Amino acid sequence: MSSSESSGNLDRREVVAQLLAGRGDALLITGLGSTTWDAAAVGDREENFYVWGGMGGAAMIGLGLALAQPERRVLVITGDGEMLMGLGAFATIAVQHPANLSVVVIDNEVYGETGMQPTHTHFGVDLAGMAAAAGFESACTVYTQSDLDTLCASLYSTRGPLFASVKVSGDRHETVLPPRDGTYLKHRFRRALLGDAEKGSLAGRTS
Amino acid sequence: MTDDAQIGEYPRWPEEIFGVLCDAEVTQVAYVPDAGHARLIELCQANGSMRSVALTTEEEGVALLAGAWLGGARGVLLTQSSGVGNCINMLSIVQECRFPLLVIVTMRGEWGEFNPWQVPMGQSVSDALGNAGVIVHPVDAADEIADTVAAAAELAFNAFRAVAVSISQRVIGSKVWK
């Protein structure tokens, strides 16, 4: 195996499209880099919050959102490099144990945005094993279309926290850019979720 | 010493901060365990309307509270000064999106510190936070803490800013090693 050849064969764009096909009103957080382009390629939505920076933070943003919105399903889709930078989140999420949170890593085993250098998962680091050991309700690694179908059947309905690492090929796709102004993404997400979010914002005035 | 006497020896300011957080409708409390924040953390853990989230590193809390705000909830990050350094890159999310952020920092490495390894980060807190776009309210008197946290909460949640209150080691007391 060359240094940049993934152990996965699935196509990342097809995987993300299938993951999102059944999302209903689920809220989506994506990590910086390819998973944001993947989600944008499927279709931009107000209930998508793309994290264009803060590497390692996507899963924790998902946790804060899941705790604030326990009636809504929250899906985090991020890359293996982004997840590796925030591995402590596995422990923190497992302890909080939100039933409505699913975290999916699109694992191509390389840092796609910086020149396809291999990540630790390329050398065998097992993200699903780490999530399971931390105490996630369920955790799996997806290698085949059949595995993916099984994951998609439970992604929004099974009791969380759920973790899945989906092994995809190293093929690169067109970069599809969603909106990238952070304040805009924040405001439109809150408006879609909360309505007129600013209306009640003085409720907590302390003076 | 009786339990009552021990309770009587608690300083009032952690309870006062707790009251301010309740008034500000804070529902997510993120922290890495810390001696200076120990009493406040206990109060938050015991409160049914607050979710206490223990972190492995403070930057997780910055991301957590961004997600909380996206979901319509307010939070606070409780950290020791050493944890401020762990937050720097994650604070770029806060600055770029103009997320409200309330941080309460218990200082080490300044007033009466004996551990030299705490000094570099402790002395960098104000500049580091300022450079990362966080407004810093230092406080070094116990009776000014509650008002300062209340003002910081106002600035954070109603003026949509990132604000840190840094509580001096002069108030917390230098760590006693026996």
Side-chain angles (χ1 to χ4, degrees):
Chain A
M1 190 190 296
S2 76
S3 64
S4 63
E5 188 175 328
S6 174
S7 62
N9 297 309
L10 296 169
D11 178 87
R12 60 181 308 132
R13 287 281 157 91
E14 292 174 8
V15 166
V16 172
Q18 188 174 340
L19 290 171
L20 293 176
R23 72 181 277 188
D25 71 351
L27 306 169
L28 176 66
I29 306 290
T30 62
L32 86 166
S34 301
T35 53
T36 283
W37 326 146
D38 294 335
V42 172
D44 182 34
R45 277 181 55 168
E46 292 183 332
E47 302 90 346
N48 293 359
F49 186 80
Y50 314 105
V51 188
W52 281 71
M55 190 163 175
M60 286 302 303
I61 293 175
L63 175 62
L65 178 60
L67 295 178
Q69 290 286 328
E71 305 303 318
R72 293 288 284 269
R73 194 74 181 196
V74 175
L75 173 64
V76 176
I77 300 180
T78 190
D80 43 312
E82 207 274 346
M83 191 74 243
L84 284 162
M85 197 170 280
L87 289 175
F90 281 149
T92 299
I93 291 169
V95 169
Q96 294 300 318
H97 225 70
N100 59 328
L101 178 63
S102 297
V103 179
V104 178
V105 165
I106 304 300
D107 186 1
N108 64 354
E109 304 183 356
V110 292
Y111 292 100
E113 301 304 311
T114 59
M116 307 296 275
Q117 301 90 342
T119 66
H120 293 47
T121 65
H122 176 74
F123 301 101
V125 170
D126 176 6
L127 291 173
M130 289 177 162
F136 270 56
E137 194 71 18
S138 61
C140 64
T141 303
V142 167
Y143 291 97
T144 67
Q145 183 61 45
S146 171
D147 295 342
L148 182 63
D149 294 343
T150 302
L151 172 66
C152 288
S154 65
L155 187 60
Y156 300 103
S157 56
T158 195
R159 183 176 178 78
L162 173 153
F163 177 83
S165 172
V166 181
K167 293 287 185 178
V168 298
S169 75
D171 293 348
R172 303 212 63 183
H173 291 269
E174 177 194 1
T175 300
V176 180
L177 300 180
R180 66 179 179 279
D181 183 287
T183 55
Y184 170 73
L185 291 166
K186 176 193 68 174
H187 283 302
R188 77 168 189 166
F189 186 97
R190 276 171 56 93
R191 193 175 60 233
L193 176 61
L194 305 168
D196 187 359
E198 306 310 329
K199 209 160 90 178
S201 67
L202 293 177
R205 279 185 72 99
T206 55
S207 58
Chain B
M1 190 183 290
T2 67
D3 286 344
D4 282 345
Q6 287 182 351
I7 290 166
E9 287 183 5
Y10 279 126
R12 292 289 306 161
W13 60 266
E15 316 229 358
E16 292 169 356
I17 293 177
F18 177 72
V20 170
L21 297 180
C22 290
D23 289 344
E25 299 178 358
V26 163
T27 57
Q28 292 192 23
V29 180
Y31 64 94
V32 172
D34 168 58
H37 278 313
R39 177 67 182 146
L40 176 58
I41 291 169
E42 287 173 5
L43 292 166
C44 294
Q45 286 171 330
N47 182 278
S49 62
M50 289 181 179
R51 183 70 171 248
S52 297
V53 180
L55 312 166
T56 70
T57 175
E58 291 79 0
E59 67 196 272
E60 292 176 3
V62 176
L64 177 94
L65 299 181
W69 184 258
L70 285 177
R74 298 167 175 212
V76 65
L77 173 62
L78 308 179
T79 177
Q80 189 186 105
S81 48
S82 53
V84 167
N86 296 343
C87 294
I88 298 302
N89 186 49
M90 210 61 80
L91 287 168
S92 63
I93 294 177
V94 173
Q95 185 174 113
E96 165 54 21
C97 300
R98 208 148 67 83
F99 280 114
L101 180 68
L102 178 61
V103 185
I104 305 177
V105 183
T106 48
M107 291 301 299
R108 290 288 309 271
E110 34 112 90
W111 188 272
E113 179 63 62
F114 93 101
N115 179 352
W117 298 63
Q118 285 280 359
V119 177
M121 191 62 237
Q123 290 297 318
S124 302
V125 159
S126 188
D127 286 347
L129 285 173
N131 287 338
V134 180
I135 298 163
V136 182
H137 289 343
V139 56
D140 63 3
D143 60 2
E144 294 174 2
I145 293 175
D147 283 352
T148 307
V149 175
E154 183 85 8
L155 193 53
F157 299 124
N158 292 330
F160 316 113
R161 288 300 189 280
V163 190
V165 175
S166 66
I167 302 175
S168 171
Q169 213 164 353
R170 190 172 190 177
V171 175
I172 300 158
S174 300
K175 192 165 185 172
V176 178
W177 290 70
K178 295 172 182 172

